[in-house]
Amino acid sequence: MSSARPIATTRSAAGMPTGRLAVWWVIASEIVIFGGIIASYVMYRLAHDAFAESAAHTATWIGATNTFILLTSSLFAVLGHKAAEHGDGPKAARMLHLTALGGLCFLLLKSYEWTMEITHGFTITASTFWSFYYTAAGLHALHVAVGILIMLIVAQTAKRNLELHRVELIGLYWHFVDIVWIFLFPLLYIAK
Amino acid sequence: MAETIPVGHAPEHAHEHHEPGFVAKYLWSTDHKMIAMQYLFTGSAMALLGGFFAYVFRSQLAFPGMSVPGFGLVSPNEYNALITNHGAIMIFWFAMPVLIAAFGNFLIPLMIGADDMAFPKINRLSYQIFLLSVLVLFVSFFVEGGAFGGAWTMYPPLSATAEYNQTPLGTTLFVTAVALEFVAFLMGGINFVVTAMNSRAPGMRMYDIPIVVWMIVLASIIFMASVGPLVAGAVMLLFDHNLGTAFFDPKRGGDPVLWQHLFWFFGHPEVYVVLLPAVGIVAEIITVFARKKLFAYKTVLYTAFGTGVLSFTVWAHHQFIAGIDPRMANVFTITTLLISVPVAEMMFVYIATLYGGSITLETPMLWALSFIATFLIGGVTGIFLGASGTDIYLHDTYFVLAHFHYTFVPIAVIGTFAGVTFWFPKMFGRMLDDRLGKIHFWGTVIPFNLIFIPLFVLGVAGEHRRIWDFTQFPELSAPWMRDLDKLATLSLWVMLSFQIVFLVNFFWSLRRGPKAPKNPWASNTLEWTADSPPPHGNWKELPTVYRGPYEYSVPGREQDYWPQNVPN
């Protein structure tokens, strides 16, 4: 499958591998998507004091635990990259599986958190704060889920020592998702 | 450095051994040229649809209550749906797919000396998602309640609250279609940027890249950086519409003006997203048909960068009457007026390029020249709207409408015709008929001015946009105003009917036109060194580049052009 590749894919006039360059541009375009929603949230937060009242009902301990889980999963992504650099595909795959497991724990904990909140009446229509809460965190969770899927595919090929450069690419994406959460956590949970 | 690079992937491709089937060749190809054709034909078909919508609602405006041939009576709701979808189609499903996706796909690899896009499969996927967005839009015309009619800007509450929105399902599908389109163009744009950055031929430095490639890349970057907030906004709008959130509902703590900010933070840079490729196409044509070096290559690039940066600081001039702080209006007046400086500078560079050139007036050159003339009127009338004082009076009148048609029609329509007539020999291996081309040119440009000059006048006289029947308002029913409205509509009929000339020319030449030589315009850029039309992989041996793209009439050389791949 790697033979029918155009020269255009393998050239590197800018001095950076084509795949990595592309992932950075993907991340740039994602930053403005999250930027749009976070900026809207901040503008509303500044204009409405009622947000603080709603935000007091978020489960900070769950958010904090999830932050810890996500950061740890990023560590495994780095270890996977290191293994891939050394040409150890099976180990890189194992590390990616651990990263994906972290993402899965994040999603499970988030589902628990949301179920709890929704049963307490804090639904997406409860107030503008909760609308933002579910929309922003939901968009982020969607990115986590997609990341897990791609990670499993990358791990599948990496296990056979193929396409090892992809381990770094999915790692870059994962760190991005991580950093978005670092912004969302204080905005949605702590800033009361 | 190696003189030539063999094309590595060509032999492995299955079609080198046997002719691919219809699906593999036309629908499932990863070849950048085939994807360009898919975008070109889909986008052009959508332009015809958008043109048909314009014909219907302009007929209603000039002859209210008349049964429009080919459509029938136009109800107010249908009128709203027609103007909404006309606007959206022309921007999202015609200008962007043709100017960026079609020309970008066709030209970038050929002009930088690559055999394909950096990511051919993602390229194919981006077209397929685009096609899906077209289908979703089509479905929205036929659902219960009808197509979305809240204007292409989708302002809430018309687009959000069930109380005001009479086309709930149409709205959901419309917003979904736009969102899918954005996904397609984000994928395509990233592909363009990465390809142009990384896949250039050996020897091609940054300043050896043809202007049009630069422009498409810059346009893709502006698009990428501006569309994010609208993607977020679209999600919020869909949630408001379908889940009952209140992001944009003032009654429950939301703010409809937030949507305007999110929309125009994208919507105004979008003007430059489609402008830059058209400006690039015009640059290529002008140097070739003036046989002169582009007057100031780097200036064009720097001004394009400047336009790109400034384009992010102008959006709130759309909110001058939405109740924004007058101090903020001052700031946005200044930035809006400032952006005319780099854009005007590009036009001056082109005029300076023409000065003293050996100009020949082939059809592509006519289009390129008319681009400059027409676009300048669009730019100058923009000054009135960028200044908050005059905008407060002119806002939402036909003056605004005439202004942006004087910018978008040169960009999208003239830019497309310039590009298609210029690269037709390379795209299809045959020449277009120049005489039919000129008939089509005059039959398009003259009626175009007769449509929109009257609308400037009507706008200043107070005719408001988005009104179904002006005769219901005595102050808008003066006989001279009705006459100008009829003149605009009749001119539109003429302009649309002359497009048949182009279609005849296009499809006749496609089959029967004289065979095109490799380089019919004696141009320097790399695409003309490939066969016409280029095969999969473009060249047998990929070219090496020795100089910039605009070395025309260099003193001391026998030929008046000096292709980029010729050693000396």
Side-chain angles (χ1 to χ4, degrees):
Chain A
M1 62 178 289
S2 55
S3 61
R5 239 182 224 159
I7 294 264
T9 312
T10 47
R11 267 188 189 163
S12 174
M16 194 194 267
T18 308
R20 200 196 296 162
L21 193 58
V23 171
W24 278 114
W25 280 110
V26 170
I27 289 173
S29 71
E30 294 266 23
I31 286 173
V32 280
I33 296 178
F34 282 102
I37 203 159
I38 288 174
S40 303
Y41 172 81
V42 169
M43 296 302 276
Y44 273 50
R45 176 69 188 77
L46 293 175
H48 302 284
D49 293 333
F51 270 44
E53 209 176 296
S54 301
H57 294 289
T58 53
T60 312
W61 68 272
I62 296 188
T65 313
N66 257 344
T67 311
F68 178 71
I69 292 173
L70 211 54
L71 284 173
T72 313
S73 76
S74 259
L75 171 68
F76 289 120
V78 173
L79 293 176
H81 176 208
K82 197 177 160 206
E85 295 251 285
H86 288 105
D88 189 351
K91 186 180 177 195
R94 278 200 305 280
M95 290 299 135
L96 286 188
H97 283 136
L98 284 174
T99 317
L101 186 68
L104 194 66
C105 289
F106 176 92
L107 289 181
L108 287 175
L109 199 53
K110 182 153 284 289
S111 325
Y112 167 73
E113 177 191 17
W114 281 17
T115 317
M116 203 177 69
E117 276 151 1
I118 290 168
T119 48
H120 282 83
F122 302 117
T123 60
I124 193 166
T125 53
S127 75
T128 321
F129 169 82
W130 289 103
S131 299
F132 270 110
Y133 173 82
Y134 286 105
T135 308
L139 197 64
H140 175 261
L142 186 70
H143 279 75
V144 173
V146 171
I148 292 173
L149 273 179
I150 302 173
M151 194 120 38
L152 293 177
I153 296 169
V154 172
Q156 212 52 35
T157 48
K159 200 157 69 182
R160 290 179 280 127
N161 266 326
L162 295 171
E163 311 279 3
L164 283 183
H165 68 284
R166 287 185 183 166
V167 176
E168 183 195 357
L169 305 186
I170 187 63
L172 280 174
Y173 170 85
W174 196 254
H175 297 323
F176 163 74
V177 173
D178 202 351
I179 289 168
V180 169
W181 181 253
I182 302 283
F183 277 91
L184 289 180
F185 174 58
L187 281 173
L188 296 175
Y189 293 80
I190 299 177
K192 299 183 164 103
Chain B
M1 192 184 292
E3 283 283 293
T4 47
I5 304 232
V7 180
H9 76 297
E12 282 94 350
H13 269 282
H15 64 265
E16 293 289 317
H17 306 296
H18 60 89
E19 191 63 15
F22 180 85
V23 171
K25 190 171 172 192
Y26 294 107
L27 300 181
W28 214 252
S29 171
T30 55
D31 183 11
H32 69 101
K33 298 176 292 293
M34 185 51 69
I35 293 167
M37 291 307 126
Q38 291 171 336
Y39 271 116
L40 182 66
F41 283 99
T42 317
S44 307
M46 292 304 277
L48 290 176
L49 183 68
F52 174 71
F53 288 178
Y55 150 79
V56 176
F57 64 70
R58 274 292 345 157
S59 302
Q60 156 68 22
L61 285 172
F63 310 101
M66 182 191 83
S67 175
V68 181
F71 187 85
L73 287 173
V74 185
S75 73
N77 278 345
E78 281 169 343
Y79 176 82
N80 285 341
L82 287 169
I83 57 166
T84 300
N85 285 284
H86 168 77
I89 284 174
M90 288 308 198
I91 302 288
F92 294 138
W93 285 282
F94 162 51
M96 289 187 62
V98 170
L99 283 168
I100 300 183
F103 285 113
N105 263 308
F106 187 78
L107 294 177
I108 289 176
L110 278 168
M111 287 185 122
I112 64 171
D115 50 354
D116 206 334
M117 282 289 171
F119 303 102
K121 284 180 191 161
I122 291 178
N123 204 15
R124 176 179 68 196
L125 186 61
S126 83
Y127 173 75
Q128 288 162 342
I129 293 177
F130 169 74
L131 191 63
L132 182 65
S133 81
V134 172
L135 296 177
V136 172
L137 184 75
F138 277 159
V139 171
S140 84
F141 296 154
F142 301 106
V143 292
E144 201 186 334
F148 177 55
W152 81 283
T153 50
M154 302 170 253
Y155 280 0
L158 279 179
S159 57
T161 321
E163 218 179 314
Y164 304 109
N165 190 332
Q166 300 177 342
T167 57
L169 204 49
T171 309
T172 303
L173 289 171
F174 182 85
V175 181
T176 310
V178 174
L180 281 170
E181 214 253 6
F182 291 164
V183 172
F185 277 89
L186 275 175
M187 290 165 65
I190 289 170
N191 213 344
F192 291 171
V193 175
V194 172
T195 306
M197 281 175 83
N198 245 6
S199 314
R200 295 196 304 278
M204 183 177 263
R205 296 161 303 170
M206 293 297 257
Y207 294 126
D208 296 334
I209 302 175
I211 290 282
V212 67
V213 173
W214 265 115
M215 291 295 183
I216 293 170
V217 167
L218 287 175
S220 303
I221 294 174
I222 297 174
F223 176 77
M224 261 172 62
S226 64
V227 79
L230 185 57
V231 172
V235 172
M236 288 151 80
L237 185 64
L238 280 175
F239 281 7
D240 263 15
H241 192 260
N242 295 313
L243 299 180
T245 56
F247 291 113
F248 306 121
D249 182 0
K251 255 194 302 197
R252 295 190 291 144
D255 186 354
V257 178
L258 173 69
W259 170 264
Q260 297 193 13
H261 285 295
L262 295 173
F263 182 85
W264 287 113
F265 184 80
F266 160 77
H268 210 90
E270 169 72 2
V271 176
Y272 304 98
V273 169
V274 289
L275 167 67
L276 293 183
V279 164
I281 289 169
V282 169
E284 302 300 325
I285 293 172
I286 279 186
T287 53
V288 169
F289 292 102
R291 313 307 296 167
K292 258 188 79 187
K293 195 179 174 113
L294 191 71
F295 174 70
Y297 175 95
K298 287 187 184 173
T299 305
V300 176
L301 286 190
Y302 298 154
T303 51
F305 279 119
T307 312
V309 172
L310 276 173
S311 73
F312 288 95
T313 65
V314 301
W315 81 89
H317 67 234
H318 294 269
Q319 275 98 285
F320 282 160
I321 65 155
I324 62 168
D325 190 321
R327 287 165 298 185
M328 208 158 104
N330 279 345
V331 172
F332 280 96
T333 295
I334 292 166
T335 54
T336 304
L337 299 188
L338 263 183
I339 203 168
S340 57
V341 175
V343 179
E345 208 160 311
M346 287 185 232
M347 298 300 126
F348 288 136
V349 165
Y350 294 170
I351 294 169
T353 305
L354 292 168
Y355 179 77
S358 350
I359 297 168
T360 47
L361 292 176
E362 276 94 340
T363 316
M365 185 61 161
L366 285 177
W367 287 112
L369 295 176
S370 70
F371 174 90
I372 299 173
T374 321
F375 187 77
L376 281 178
I377 300 179
V380 169
T381 51
I383 304 280
F384 297 89
L385 301 169
S388 63
T390 34
D391 179 69
I392 287 168
Y393 174 70
L394 292 169
H395 187 91
D396 259 349
T397 66
Y398 268 74
F399 187 91
V400 177
L401 189 135
H403 154 70
F404 71 70
H405 279 86
Y406 256 104
T407 57
F408 271 121
V409 171
I411 293 170
V413 177
I414 295 182
T416 299
F417 284 133
V420 168
T421 49
F422 184 62
W423 279 291
F424 189 89
K426 187 53 62 188
M427 287 173 170
F428 304 106
R430 290 179 188 273
M431 302 298 288
L432 280 170
D433 186 277
D434 206 45
R435 203 162 45 97
L436 283 179
K438 280 176 180 156
I439 293 171
H440 168 241
F441 169 78
W442 292 112
T444 303
V445 167
I446 295 172
F448 161 72
N449 286 284
L450 290 176
I451 300 170
F452 291 105
I453 289 172
L455 295 187
F456 276 123
V457 179
L458 288 170
V460 176
E463 226 170 68
H464 212 261
R465 289 168 82 179
R466 294 171 183 148
I467 286 176
W468 168 63
D469 178 1
F470 290 116
T471 56
Q472 299 185 346
F473 301 88
E475 63 275 30
L476 299 178
S477 301
W480 70 270
M481 294 175 87
R482 295 299 92 239
D483 287 346
L484 283 185
D485 250 330
K486 283 185 184 124
L487 172 63
T489 300
L490 293 175
S491 304
L492 176 74
W493 292 358
V494 174
M495 179 175 155
L496 286 176
S497 52
F498 266 94
Q499 303 316 306
I500 295 167
V501 178
F502 178 76
L503 290 175
V504 168
N505 190 3
F506 187 94
F507 287 106
W508 185 84
S509 305
L510 200 61
R511 296 245 165 255
R512 304 241 182 280
K515 281 242 189 277
K518 258 190 181 181
N519 192 355
W521 316 119
S523 170
N524 281 343
T525 39
L526 290 177
E527 79 271 29
W528 300 104
T529 63
D531 290 338
S532 301
H536 200 148
N538 297 342
W539 290 275
K540 285 186 195 73
E541 308 243 299
L542 289 177
T544 302
V545 170
Y546 296 94
R547 68 187 59 74
Y550 303 117
E551 302 293 328
Y552 293 102
S553 308
V554 177
R557 281 190 65 82
E558 214 168 287
Q559 284 175 316
D560 71 343
Y561 66 113
W562 200 0
Q564 284 188 279
N565 67 326
V566 172
N568 47 50

